[in-house]
Amino acid sequence: MQRRKFMTLLGGVAAIWPLSSRAQQTAMPLIGFLSGQSPATSTYLVDAFRAGLRETGFVEGQNVAIEYRWALGQTDQLPALAADLVRRHVAVIASTAGGGTAASLAAKAATTTIPIVFTSGLDPVKIGLVGSLNRPGGNVTGIAFLTRTLDAKRLELLHELLPGATNVGALLNPTFPDAPDQLHEVQEAAQRIGERLTLLNASSARELDAAFETIVQKGIGALLVGADPFFISRREQLVALAAHHGIPAIYEDRDFTTVGGLMSYGASFSDAVRQVGVYTGRILKGEKPTDLPIQQPTKFELVINLKTAKALGLTLPPTLLARADEVIE
């Protein structure tokens, strides 16, 4: 009898254990990861986000779960994806890894209570994401890498690469909210270094084709591609057009150089996403978004594609190569 009672008790414990295990699993905090891009092109950014989480003690699958939602380049899908994460009762929404601004605005429209941590290349105060940089207010905080402020630096790097270029083009998107500021800063930089600047506008794939026809017609010898989410989404087209017409160009992000662009300079997107992971972990530990000031990137990277330089017949200055954070062979 004693043995029978013991086995019955043991069986009861065995039956309870899986239930308890499942309960622990469901008690894990759930993060919603919202992106305008695709998982295939965002692997290194997801890794960076997980690294940031680990810095605060969270490891996916061990003590935190992540629901991923990808718009696959179709930003009009972001509101529905954000609403789906809200229905899932996630603890935090991380809106990042490409299309960050559009994803963040979609997340903010979907909830006023779930904390949101974003990355954005736009001024988050100007577009209404937060009330101020130091005290964001509400349920939103994140990382703002104001890439348009670096366009002047990119022009200087292009001049260092091609000091003999007599006519440099600046490709901007006139529908981009920061376009007027971009134009002002680039024009000032051109005057400072004595560069002749030709403005080119494009806000659609067809207008990009037309812009490169203008580049050829006007004999433009080098191109600055302004910081803009639309240009990032069309990076393969831009790089292909530059290669086809033999135009040396500089871009805002390393994603351009990895698909064959000549040179890029900008804030490290992966480091910004890592910071999003850190903020997400801090919120999971009890901190409030309103108490977490908007961060700005501290890491910047110059990336040069040596193969593309050779294809264009360019000899890169040794001083420029020495300053590169990454050289793609």
Side-chain angles (χ1 to χ4, degrees), residues 31-49:
I31 298 168
F33 188 95
L34 181 62
S35 170
Q37 299 299 317
S38 71
T41 59
S42 303
T43 302
Y44 75 102
L45 297 174
V46 173
D47 290 343
F49 178 71

Side-chain angles (χ1 to χ4, degrees), residues 239 249 251 255-264 303-305 308 328:
V239 168
Y251 310 89
D255 284 350
F256 286 90
T257 51
T258 57
V259 296
L262 172 62
M263 186 164 61
S264 66
V303 183
I304 296 173
N305 190 313
T308 300
I328 298 173

Side-chain angles (χ1 to χ4, degrees), residues 43-61:
T43 302
Y44 75 102
L45 297 174
V46 173
D47 290 343
F49 178 71
R50 290 169 177 159
L53 283 175
R54 283 195 299 272
E55 289 182 34
T56 58
F58 290 98
V59 179
E60 184 179 8

Side-chain angles (χ1 to χ4, degrees), residues 26-97:
T26 57
M28 255 196 265
L30 180 63
I31 298 168
F33 188 95
L34 181 62
S35 170
Q37 299 299 317
S38 71
T41 59
S42 303
T43 302
Y44 75 102
L45 297 174
V46 173
D47 290 343
F49 178 71
R50 290 169 177 159
L53 283 175
R54 283 195 299 272
E55 289 182 34
T56 58
F58 290 98
V59 179
E60 184 179 8
Q62 294 184 17
N63 58 356
V64 70
I66 305 176
E67 284 280 339
Y68 297 90
R69 295 292 183 274
W70 305 93
L72 306 177
Q74 301 177 46
T75 54
D76 60 332
Q77 298 299 312
L78 286 166
L81 295 174
D84 182 51
L85 289 174
V86 171
R87 286 192 296 270
R88 292 278 295 157
H89 301 291
V90 296
V92 186
I93 295 176
S95 54
T96 182

Side-chain angles (χ1 to χ4, degrees), residues 261-262 303-312 314 316 321 326-329:
L262 172 62
V303 183
I304 296 173
N305 190 313
L306 200 57
K307 182 179 179 181
T308 300
K310 290 177 179 177
L312 291 169
L314 297 176
L316 298 174
L321 272 175
E326 181 181 355
V327 176
I328 298 173
E329 301 286 352

Side-chain angles (χ1 to χ4, degrees), residues 97-115:
T101 300
S104 304
L105 290 170
K108 184 176 182 181
T111 179
T112 58
T113 55
I114 297 173

